[in-house]
Amino acid sequence: MRSNRSSSMLHRQQVWVYVVGFLFVADFIFYGYLPSHRRLQSLAEARLQKERLIETAESQARALPGLEQTLETVEKAVLHYEDRIPAETDGALGTFWNQVSVIMSSRSLTDPVMEPKDVIVADNLKCIPVRIKCKGALESIFGFCNDLRELDRLVRIERLTLTNDSDFSGVISLEAEAVIFYRSEKGPGESGLAGVIPPGGLRNDT
């Protein structure tokens, strides 16, 4: 009897030891290890995010001098931008053609043609697409394009085609689609271009 009771009590003690041990382990896992693990993960993610922010800041800092230089270049380019878009006058296109004629003559270019297209209006800014043709030596053609860029008014070249002469004499034919701009100072519906350009465009046959 006593042996059985002793054995039963010993068994119960062992069970309680296991239960208490299990409770200690569970307490450690649920209230110690897991919260600590989550905190470590949060710290690791915060550290990684901070490192990424530092890398982004360093990258932006390295790019800043280049951006400042680009901004300075753009500011210089647009400083007199409006000055290169003249106000509309009755001879606006005629003045441009005279400038082009002088350039072509100075570059010994022949067969000059300038054909304007319909005026495009955007707020108080107007632009005129112009088809320009001429012939001459390659060096003169490139000089002509450079002179157009250096004019006191804005001229944008949309398309440029160079064609060699069929007998390879060194004569190059240029055909360009250019756009000139001007600011409107007239009322709605008034283009100020009437009588400037004849229907077939401007030609200089001399």
Side-chain angles (χ1 to χ4, degrees):
M1 289 289 292
R2 291 180 179 177
S3 178
N4 290 335
R5 288 180 181 177
S6 299
S7 178
S8 176
M9 290 179 64
L10 180 60
H11 179 70
R12 288 178 182 178
Q13 289 176 352
Q14 289 177 343
V15 170
W16 278 109
V17 170
Y18 291 145
V19 170
V20 172
F22 174 78
L23 291 175
F24 273 115
V25 172
D27 180 74
F28 172 75
I29 292 175
F30 290 103
Y31 297 101
Y33 173 76
L34 290 180
S36 299
H37 183 67
R38 284 193 291 267
R39 284 194 295 269
L40 287 174
Q41 284 185 325
S42 299
L43 290 173
E45 291 175 358
R47 180 179 179 180
L48 181 60
Q49 184 177 6
K50 184 177 180 180
E51 290 176 350
R52 289 175 178 172
L53 288 174
I54 292 174
E55 289 178 358
T56 302
E58 290 177 348
S59 176
Q60 292 176 347
R62 289 192 297 269
L64 185 59
L67 293 174
E68 290 177 344
Q69 184 176 359
T70 301
L71 178 61
E72 183 179 351
T73 301
V74 172
E75 287 178 343
K76 289 181 179 179
V78 302
L79 182 61
H80 303 291
Y81 183 79
E82 188 171 327
D83 295 338
R84 299 191 66 195
I85 303 178
E88 177 184 5
T89 63
D90 290 337
L93 196 55
T95 300
F96 174 67
W97 173 239
N98 289 335
Q99 291 175 318
V100 172
S101 297
V102 170
I103 295 173
M104 288 183 177
S105 178
S106 67
R107 295 290 179 178
S108 301
L109 299 176
T110 61
D111 300 335
V113 176
M114 188 176 79
E115 298 176 350
K117 298 182 180 179
D118 293 336
V119 178
I120 300 172
V121 181
D123 296 329
N124 68 329
L125 183 67
K126 296 185 179 182
C127 61
I128 308 175
V130 182
R131 180 168 171 258
I132 300 174
K133 297 175 65 176
C134 60
K135 293 182 179 181
L138 184 61
E139 182 180 356
S140 299
I141 293 291
F142 278 102
F144 169 72
C145 294
N146 186 64
D147 291 341
L148 281 183
R149 187 184 62 181
E150 298 297 329
L151 281 177
D152 57 356
R153 68 175 304 146
L154 183 64
V155 180
R156 187 175 70 189
I157 303 297
E158 298 284 351
R159 184 177 62 86
L160 183 67
T161 303
L162 300 178
T163 306
N164 201 0
D165 196 18
S166 57
D167 58 0
F168 300 100
S169 61
V171 177
I172 304 297
S173 297
L174 174 144
E175 182 173 344
E177 297 289 342
V179 178
I180 63 173
F181 302 86
Y182 61 91
R183 290 175 283 114
S184 176
E185 293 188 350
K186 295 183 178 294
E190 294 182 294
S191 67
L193 297 176
V196 176
I197 299 296
L202 287 176
R203 297 173 181 269
N204 186 348
D205 297 326
T206 59

